[in-house]
Amino acid sequence: MEQPRNLQVEILDRVAVDDLIGKVRSVAEHPGAADEVRRWRADNGPEHATPKATSFVVVGATLMFLHPCPDGVILPFAAYPDGTTKVYTDADHAGESFYRED
């Protein structure tokens, strides 16, 4: 799968990226999280994620999920109702093609 056409990249320090990953994982474990994701998809259509994506959660109007880079590093993504996808990354992974098949 190719990377999304409307991909925005936000570079953060690694500590902030790891903190965001922890928050997404925590929210994904809450009861009802999967139901909120199903409602988001019903309202907005499918997000641009591969089968490797995990820990889907809805935060406000945004669907968030985690996805590995080709080197295995996990990064948080946000999918917006307008079709935009944003990745939160550290500087070392900012140039990666996140959905490239190995």
Side-chain angles (χ1 to χ4, degrees):
M1 174 181 275
E2 295 179 19
Q3 68 186 29
R5 191 172 64 172
N6 296 328
L7 180 66
Q8 298 175 358
V9 178
E10 185 162 334
I11 299 172
L12 305 172
D13 64 44
R14 189 69 226 179
V15 172
V17 172
D18 290 342
D19 184 56
L20 189 52
I21 289 168
K23 289 177 180 175
V24 169
R25 284 182 172 149
S26 177
V27 173
E29 294 174 3
H30 288 156
D35 293 332
E36 290 183 35
V37 170
R38 280 190 284 280
R39 281 192 292 276
W40 190 94
R41 289 174 174 150
D43 292 344
N44 300 290
E47 73 286 347
H48 196 301
T50 76
K52 293 179 182 180
T54 63
S55 300
F56 291 86
V57 299
V58 176
V59 180
T62 305
L63 177 71
M64 296 195 72
F65 58 93
L66 305 178
H67 198 284
C69 288
D71 68 1
V73 170
I74 302 296
L75 295 176
F77 282 72
Y80 297 94
D82 68 0
T84 301
T85 302
K86 182 185 278 187
V87 58
Y88 297 91
T89 182
D90 59 353
D92 292 339
H93 293 91
E96 291 287 332
S97 176
F98 302 101
Y99 295 125
R100 183 181 70 220
E101 293 299 319
D102 298 300

